[in-house]
Amino acid sequence: MSRKLGKIAAVAAAASVASGVLFAASPAEAAYDCRYGKVCLNTGTFGNGSRWEVPSCGEHWLPSGFAYHTHSVQTWGNSVTLFWFDQDGQGGYIHQIGFVGQNAQTNLDAQTADLLNYVRVNC
């Protein structure tokens, strides 16, 4: 943990004790670890499991193991639009099924996790 983050955590802990409200980052929250300017997809919730760092801005098919199995997303500088490309045998249709804004960490709902197979990193 960097010195700055350590100080922030200490201040937050002191504030929570002073206010009578206790909170702590779960070990799962510490699993998010995406480089600045990147979007990372994880097969587990809270940034756990296997991680795929989307290589660049623009549109990308999810690799095997992440398509239909992504349960959490971290954005660090760029937002990402989530899609399901429904291949119906006649060319297919693309449906926007979600959006994650800049500098966010979120778990996906079960339906989105089951459908997600295509993303657009918005730079």
Side-chain angles (χ1 to χ4, degrees), residues 38-50:
K38 296 293 183 177
V39 170
C40 295
L41 308 178
N42 300 281
T43 57
T45 57
F46 299 102
N48 288 298
S50 298

Side-chain angles (χ1 to χ4, degrees), residues 89-100:
Q90 298 183 22
Y93 298 94
I94 193 161
H95 309 273
Q96 181 175 339
I97 57 173
F99 177 84
V100 180

Side-chain angles (χ1 to χ4, degrees), residues 37-39 52-60 78 119-123:
K38 296 293 183 177
V39 170
W52 179 55
E53 185 177 278
V54 182
S56 62
C57 299
E59 298 180 357
H60 302 273
N78 298 312
V119 295
R120 181 178 60 230
V121 176
N122 308 300
C123 299

Side-chain angles (χ1 to χ4, degrees), residues 5 12 14 16 24 45 66-67 75 82 97-98 118-119 122:
L5 288 177
S16 70
T45 57
F66 288 87
T75 61
L82 311 175
I97 57 173
Y118 193 77
V119 295
N122 308 300

Side-chain angles (χ1 to χ4, degrees), residues 99-114:
F99 177 84
V100 180
Q102 296 177 317
N103 306 318
Q105 299 172 342
T106 189
N107 290 325
L108 301 179
D109 62 77
Q111 182 177 6
T112 302
D114 288 345

